[in-house]
Amino acid sequence: MKIMHHMTRADFEKAQDNVVVLPVGSTEQHGPHLPLGVDSYIARGISEILSERTGAIVAPTLTYGYKSKPLSGGGPLFKGTIDLNGKTLIDLVYDILCEFARDGYNKIFINNAHFENQAFIEEAMDLACQAFPKLKVVQSNWWDVLDNDTVNKVFSDVPFPGWAFEHAAITETSLMLFLKPELVRKNLIPEDVKAKALPYSVYPARKEMVPECGALAPSKGSSAEKGKLIVDKAIEGFLKIFKDEFNV
Amino acid sequence: MKIMHHMTRADFEKAQDNVVVLPVGSTEQHGPHLPLGVDSYIARGISEILSERTGAIVAPTLTYGYKSKPLSGGGPLFKGTIDLNGKTLIDLVYDILCEFARDGYNKIFINNAHFENQAFIEEAMDLACQAFPKLKVVQSNWWDVLDNDTVNKVFSDVPFPGWAFEHAAITETSLMLFLKPELVRKNLIPEDVKAKALPYSVYPARKEMVPECGALAPSKGSSAEKGKLIVDKAIEGFLKIFKDEFNV
Amino acid sequence: MKIMHHMTRADFEKAQDNVVVLPVGSTEQHGPHLPLGVDSYIARGISEILSERTGAIVAPTLTYGYKSKPLSGGGPLFKGTIDLNGKTLIDLVYDILCEFARDGYNKIFINNAHFENQAFIEEAMDLACQAFPKLKVVQSNWWDVLDNDTVNKVFSDVPFPGWAFEHAAITETSLMLFLKPELVRKNLIPEDVKAKALPYSVYPARKEMVPECGALAPSKGSSAEKGKLIVDKAIEGFLKIFKDEFNV
Amino acid sequence: MKIMHHMTRADFEKAQDNVVVLPVGSTEQHGPHLPLGVDSYIARGISEILSERTGAIVAPTLTYGYKSKPLSGGGPLFKGTIDLNGKTLIDLVYDILCEFARDGYNKIFINNAHFENQAFIEEAMDLACQAFPKLKVVQSNWWDVLDNDTVNKVFSDVPFPGWAFEHAAITETSLMLFLKPELVRKNLIPEDVKAKALPYSVYPARKEMVPECGALAPSKGSSAEKGKLIVDKAIEGFLKIFKDEFNV
Amino acid sequence: MKIMHHMTRADFEKAQDNVVVLPVGSTEQHGPHLPLGVDSYIARGISEILSERTGAIVAPTLTYGYKSKPLSGGGPLFKGTIDLNGKTLIDLVYDILCEFARDGYNKIFINNAHFENQAFIEEAMDLACQAFPKLKVVQSNWWDVLDNDTVNKVFSDVPFPGWAFEHAAITETSLMLFLKPELVRKNLIPEDVKAKALPYSVYPARKEMVPECGALAPSKGSSAEKGKLIVDKAIEGFLKIFKDEFNV
Amino acid sequence: MKIMHHMTRADFEKAQDNVVVLPVGSTEQHGPHLPLGVDSYIARGISEILSERTGAIVAPTLTYGYKSKPLSGGGPLFKGTIDLNGKTLIDLVYDILCEFARDGYNKIFINNAHFENQAFIEEAMDLACQAFPKLKVVQSNWWDVLDNDTVNKVFSDVPFPGWAFEHAAITETSLMLFLKPELVRKNLIPEDVKAKALPYSVYPARKEMVPECGALAPSKGSSAEKGKLIVDKAIEGFLKIFKDEFNV
């Protein structure tokens, strides 16, 4: 496993041809049972396993992300959700990508675990690739690479509410039970949660748009085993991306 | 129908309590058979019908949007796609929202017809609502308010490829056949189109990621009738939003 | 006539060597008798005639412009004037110019019909031409290309108050009577209007700096014929610019 | 005379109710006979006389301005023209205005002597007045307050070419002969200069658009007396503005 | 110890009145023997001890910082130094401070361990405190709170080269030996290092300005004991700051 | 002596290979006895002597600087301190550096006399040198080039309080007595001043952090002779820098 912040400069130079994995998370409320760092821990945990499997370098995690939205993350009205403006996230990711490119690291994989980040990360990717023509950057996340079979296995106890509502719900709870079980308050796992979807967004946010507990779907049936299954499948998907895009 | 650019200042002042509808489109290639203005025409056309039904004021359309992406709009490698940077779109929408708020128009409905715009529009909505506490802004689009039944009727001839791939395909072609038939080159409608989905985004874009024709799914079976059905259902959805959020 | 939003990608590619005309207007109060879209309609209308004569491509109009000023447009205290900040307009025009340059369209003519836009458009032109050395951009407007003879003919009934005060006055009213007569409220044309010039600018604006009706000079004697004369002479001037600068 | 940089903090505090005059110039080529600091010296020189007459505080001059344009200042292709981007000038003036407002100085007069600065200064004025509702800012310049009689007297030897072309020509040369005679190279004053007006702007600039000497009109007949006349009349105009706007 | 990313929302709400500690580090080469994460580990490690002693909440560490400079950090020419632009760091810290203030956390302590960050952090502090008048933010670092006696004890084997040169040298090496010994390559500790001070800064950087090993002073005599001493004294200093500024 | 604003364009072109010196000061309270322009006068005065000795061109002084801080300049709570935001100063210096580089002047020496400016000036230097690879920019100040012997001579009457506290104190007072004696209120020189150092920064600033008089250390024993000594030694230091970095 190659953790960039553990490596000396010489270690880093030796890995010049390796893929760099940039985990991106958030600081966001995750219901009564999960800690504020869920997205960051998941992004980081899966990135480390990916590093073990491929020798990719894990860059320091971005632990603050774009604004949580009510119907995918609970939104700004819950305390503990510390968000960046869109332009700030664009600049932050842009600067980091450019710096890796200046050092000659041209294969970057952004492992994003906070849905709301995606558009701003991609804007940064576009701008950085315009500035550094040799640079190639891929962005993915653990949920987009899962196959239907895996989804069906995970959602054996509760219906699949759609990915937007999988906030502080069965997938994130299971992932945390596998990756960081000591941070899950098992006795506080909410079982009956029901958020109502809206086919639109509205600002300013209203408290009543989100279940009071801050989760958007039930966590019933969450388990470390399901977490491991998700991680295994995500890794499988990421390895295919590495092969297709970075030829490693 | 209240078209803001047709109204005098006095007309506009009289409509102080009305909802303002801001159509947002793009300038983007739409395959061999559809013009570059598709998203703008659809956003505008539906907004005008909405105005007829509700007295809402139709503000001038934003006809340049955020960057087209290969797997939802064909991407930047096709000529004729003229895109804004993310920060520019945020600022553009922000300035406009603030100006309406300064004039005392606090009910704004953004009718977006270019998927890639959404995150940047929402960032502008958030910032404007922070600056003007009385302001309320809703953002929606024609596809998110359709029910399953409508989707099934529209996709009677071809399988539903998912909304991302409905670019220059059956829904947009049908909408244009209904709203702007004179701009559709019927003899050039591509029938067999197949884009391959990727569970990730990658920059820089590559030509081979997108079908050569620039559409992402087939338009077979497109018709003005289907276009009308979509419009009717979108209006129905928007009317419900108006009632729920603006109480009109 | 080549309206970009009517063209398919293939149409657009075939016109690769043509001049692109970018009309720039505003959303601004124009007195009791003219609609909020005057500047945008004039910029667009003249651009379309220019396209008919030269084959130039008419890009989508920018329908929001820089801040109206009291003594050239009535200013921000009238409702219906929806303005952009200076930086936003710079970025908006810059992004669009760069995108045309990226697609290989290097002859751009900006047809501006809102005086206050000019400095910000020119800043964008300078920045875009620094970024794309092959790009050439010209900016003009209908009033700067008129000869004295034309001005004398137009101002046969009222004295020429200077171009700054020709806001919602005889030239714009005549142009609208020629280009968009259905949008002129003829019975509301103000005859006696007198704004007082100031040899300075002052912020914040005060209501009493501007005639209550929002026009800055009289419209007496406005006619579609005068509008046609202005358009004809503007086109003549623009054709000379096309020849001198774009060699077409 | 109250030169801010000569004053101690106590002096400055005592003048809390006085107008603050902010001279804005440029660093720009001014033909063969005038130095690069012409605009800054003129803005400063007139401001000091204004201070003598009114007790206004002269803030430090902004000696770098917005981009010189070929047909009003010779443009960027001459060496010695060191320009700011538009956004930078907006921010610079904005920050300074806000700081005076924070200190309780709410009567600011911007004495601008570089034409190209105006739009960007006014944008800063608007933004600062939005942020500080008690702040009042006026912007003027020496040429806009001259009456026709004065113009006729100054242009007794040469025809008046319009203000845009009065670059390094009779008015600026006379002003420098009055305010800073030691900086005028009298033996290098160009007599026959003829710039050709264009009813449009074009980027990038071309050398041949501007007379080789860098002046845009002749300086024949320049004199310290004419310079004094202009200054006297400008002061007269500014005093009227002070009375009308600041009640001093 | 209150690690924010370990806390649930309810835990966080309960600690509403506690100080929030924001550790700020960097990703920067630190010679042959120390890892790229030194500044981040030190900022974090000391913050955790501070939390143990005071109940302060440790926010997620900023692990990318402002640009390393040759004579305080080795500079940009070493690989592995991944830096942010100044404006990006200002925005990043600003957004985070504002978010804590919005949630009602008004006592923030920024524990910075990368010298080059300071001016940009302070700019963010100023801007955030202007926006949120109740907010109070303190910034300090481990080296500024040490007394002379401690410095003398630490520099018993080597002369004190000044804090700027204490990069990858005895203090940072000792701190890492105490806080993260497993990340120190003891066999690679450089003993004889001598950087030459310059009374100026120069851009672009040159390789020969910095000792080849990337450290700026010797690490001879580094020990976990010295690391503990520094930490103890830093904590002592920080506790005094907490008392004086936050009254806790 | 080559004062850029005194030079014609031809003079400037002839000096193409010379170093350009950019003096950077501030507008900042300097106690009861010194004027608000101290930093600007010192930066400018030393630059002019440097020009006499080397033929370097003195560019117009930046007379507004970054925010004064309580414990190095008294801070924002004193009237007469007119400061720029950090981003504005970065942009201002960046634009100026780029313009000199565009004109082919690639040897720039920034002579800064306001401590708080440094980090923002250096950020601009870095960005400009990235944009113009031939450009070389050096930044220094009068205090960093003084040797210990000089410091000892200057501080013969009062103890050396550290450079941060040398605000409106013996060195600045002596420099003004030498460079601009007419602007020093000798009868108001404060003799007993004692600021208390803090090992941290805190926002918002508090009045009681700074001695009421606004100076941070005593001026006792200030003299024109000491001022001359400092200038001589600063020039000596700068000449060495010119030789080492610009080879002149």
Side-chain angles (χ1 to χ4, degrees), chain E residues 80-124:
Chain E
T81 294
I82 302 296
D83 294 330
L84 304 182
N85 284 306
K87 294 181 181 181
T88 305
L89 184 56
I90 293 170
D91 288 340
L92 179 61
V93 176
Y94 174 80
D95 283 7
I96 292 169
L97 293 177
C98 290
E99 280 284 271
F100 278 112
R102 270 188 210 103
D103 279 4
Y105 295 73
N106 285 316
K107 292 177 276 189
I108 316 277
F109 180 74
I110 299 182
N111 182 11
N112 176 33
H114 177 59
F115 171 72
E116 287 91 335
N117 287 334
Q118 184 169 336
F120 303 95
I121 289 174
E122 288 176 341
E123 172 68 348

Side-chain angles (χ1 to χ4, degrees), chain A residues 65-67 69 84-91 93-94 115-127, chain B residues 66 69 86-87 90 118-124:
Chain A
Y66 181 68
K67 296 167 187 172
K69 293 184 180 169
L84 304 182
N85 284 308
K87 293 181 181 182
T88 305
L89 184 57
I90 294 171
D91 288 340
V93 176
Y94 174 81
F115 171 72
E116 288 91 335
N117 288 334
Q118 184 169 335
F120 302 95
I121 289 174
E122 288 176 344
E123 173 68 347
M125 290 163 69
D126 181 57
L127 297 172
Chain B
Y66 181 69
K69 293 184 181 169
K87 293 181 182 182
I90 293 171
Q118 184 170 335
F120 303 95
I121 289 173
E122 289 176 343
E123 172 68 348

Side-chain angles (χ1 to χ4, degrees), chain A residues 4-204:
Chain A
M4 188 173 170
H5 263 203
H6 293 189
M7 298 163 83
T8 64
R9 187 180 74 237
D11 299 335
F12 185 69
E13 284 173 358
K14 262 178 262 161
Q16 172 90 50
D17 294 330
N18 297 35
V19 174
V20 173
V21 178
L22 177 65
V24 191
S26 73
T27 296
E28 187 188 37
Q29 73 85 22
H30 272 79
H33 62 304
L34 292 177
L36 301 170
V38 162
D39 294 348
S40 301
Y41 286 120
I42 294 175
R44 179 62 174 232
I46 297 179
S47 295
E48 293 188 354
I49 297 169
L50 191 57
S51 173
E52 274 172 8
R53 296 284 299 271
T54 66
I57 301 165
V58 182
T61 308
L62 299 185
T63 48
Y64 299 91
Y66 181 68
K67 296 167 187 172
S68 175
K69 293 184 180 169
L71 294 180
S72 52
L77 300 180
F78 290 100
K79 295 197 178 181
T81 293
I82 302 295
D83 293 330
L84 304 182
N85 284 308
K87 293 181 181 182
T88 305
L89 184 57
I90 294 171
D91 288 340
L92 178 61
V93 176
Y94 174 81
D95 282 7
I96 292 169
L97 293 177
C98 289
E99 280 283 273
F100 279 112
R102 271 187 208 104
D103 279 3
Y105 294 72
N106 285 314
K107 292 176 277 189
I108 316 276
F109 179 75
I110 298 182
N111 182 10
N112 175 33
H114 177 59
F115 171 72
E116 288 91 335
N117 288 334
Q118 184 169 335
F120 302 95
I121 289 174
E122 288 176 344
E123 173 68 347
M125 290 163 69
D126 181 57
L127 297 172
C129 289
Q130 284 183 36
F132 291 87
K134 285 186 187 169
L135 179 65
K136 184 173 196 174
V137 193
V138 172
Q139 184 264 166
S140 192
N141 53 65
W142 57 262
W143 59 86
D144 273 334
V145 293
L146 300 187
D147 56 12
N148 286 336
D149 188 48
T150 305
V151 173
N152 290 337
K153 282 180 189 154
V154 172
F155 292 89
S156 54
D157 297 276
V158 292
F160 177 51
W163 284 116
F165 278 9
E166 270 301 295
H167 176 73
I170 191 167
T171 49
E172 293 190 330
T173 305
S174 295
L175 282 164
M176 287 299 284
L177 285 169
F178 175 58
L179 295 167
K180 287 271 171 189
E182 70 277 18
L183 296 180
V184 181
R185 279 66 164 178
K186 287 186 198 162
N187 57 322
L188 298 174
I189 292 180
E191 297 239 323
D192 292 316
V193 176
K194 187 127 190 62
K196 194 170 147 260
L198 291 177
Y200 59 89
S201 53
V202 55
Y203 288 79

Side-chain angles (χ1 to χ4, degrees), chain E residues 84-242:
Chain E
L84 304 182
N85 284 306
K87 294 181 181 181
T88 305
L89 184 56
I90 293 170
D91 288 340
L92 179 61
V93 176
Y94 174 80
D95 283 7
I96 292 169
L97 293 177
C98 290
E99 280 284 271
F100 278 112
R102 270 188 210 103
D103 279 4
Y105 295 73
N106 285 316
K107 292 177 276 189
I108 316 277
F109 180 74
I110 299 182
N111 182 11
N112 176 33
H114 177 59
F115 171 72
E116 287 91 335
N117 287 334
Q118 184 169 336
F120 303 95
I121 289 174
E122 288 176 341
E123 172 68 348
M125 290 162 68
D126 181 59
L127 297 171
C129 288
Q130 285 183 36
F132 291 86
K134 287 187 188 168
L135 179 64
K136 183 173 197 174
V137 192
V138 172
Q139 183 264 164
S140 192
N141 53 65
W142 57 263
W143 59 89
D144 274 334
V145 292
L146 300 187
D147 56 12
N148 285 335
D149 187 49
T150 305
V151 173
N152 289 338
K153 280 181 191 154
V154 172
F155 291 90
S156 53
D157 296 278
V158 292
F160 177 51
W163 283 117
F165 278 9
E166 271 300 297
H167 176 73
I170 191 167
T171 49
E172 293 190 330
T173 305
S174 295
L175 282 164
M176 289 298 284
L177 285 169
F178 175 57
L179 294 167
K180 286 274 172 188
E182 69 277 18
L183 295 181
V184 183
R185 280 65 164 177
K186 288 185 198 163
N187 57 323
L188 296 175
I189 292 181
E191 298 239 323
D192 293 317
V193 176
K194 188 132 190 57
K196 195 170 147 262
L198 290 178
Y200 60 90
S201 55
V202 55
Y203 289 78
R206 293 189 301 271
K207 274 240 151 175
E208 65 269 22
M209 295 169 67
V210 188
E212 208 177 324
C213 74
L216 297 181
S219 299
K220 196 178 163 184
S222 298
S223 69
E225 289 69 33
K226 288 181 177 168
K228 182 174 185 313
L229 174 66
I230 296 170
V231 168
D232 286 347
K233 290 296 177 176
I235 293 291
E236 201 177 302
F238 292 169
L239 289 178
K240 180 166 164 36
I241 295 173
F242 272 42

Side-chain angles (χ1 to χ4, degrees), chain C residues 63-236:
Chain C
T63 48
Y64 299 90
Y66 181 68
K67 296 166 188 173
S68 175
K69 293 183 180 169
L71 294 180
S72 53
L77 300 180
F78 291 100
K79 295 196 178 182
T81 294
I82 302 295
D83 293 330
L84 304 182
N85 284 307
K87 294 181 180 181
T88 305
L89 184 57
I90 293 171
D91 288 340
L92 178 60
V93 175
Y94 174 81
D95 283 7
I96 292 169
L97 293 177
C98 290
E99 280 284 272
F100 279 112
R102 270 187 209 104
D103 279 3
Y105 294 73
N106 286 315
K107 291 176 278 190
I108 317 276
F109 179 75
I110 298 182
N111 182 13
N112 175 34
H114 177 59
F115 172 72
E116 287 91 335
N117 288 334
Q118 185 169 334
F120 303 95
I121 289 174
E122 288 176 343
E123 172 67 347
M125 290 163 69
D126 181 58
L127 297 172
C129 288
Q130 284 183 36
F132 290 87
K134 286 186 188 168
L135 180 64
K136 184 174 196 173
V137 193
V138 172
Q139 184 264 164
S140 192
N141 53 65
W142 57 263
W143 59 87
D144 273 334
V145 294
L146 299 187
D147 55 14
N148 286 337
D149 188 48
T150 305
V151 172
N152 290 337
K153 281 180 189 153
V154 172
F155 291 89
S156 53
D157 297 277
V158 292
F160 177 52
W163 285 116
F165 278 9
E166 270 301 295
H167 176 73
I170 191 167
T171 48
E172 293 190 332
T173 305
S174 296
L175 282 164
M176 287 299 284
L177 284 169
F178 176 58
L179 294 167
K180 286 272 172 189
E182 70 278 16
L183 296 181
V184 182
R185 279 66 162 175
K186 287 185 200 162
N187 56 323
L188 297 175
I189 292 180
E191 297 240 323
D192 292 317
V193 176
K194 188 130 189 61
K196 193 169 148 263
L198 291 178
Y200 60 90
S201 53
V202 54
Y203 289 78
R206 293 190 300 271
K207 273 240 152 176
E208 65 269 23
M209 296 169 66
V210 189
E212 208 177 324
C213 75
L216 297 181
S219 299
K220 197 177 162 184
S222 298
S223 70
E225 291 69 33
K226 286 182 179 168
K228 181 173 186 312
L229 175 66
I230 295 170
V231 168
D232 286 348
K233 290 297 178 175
I235 294 290
E236 202 176 302

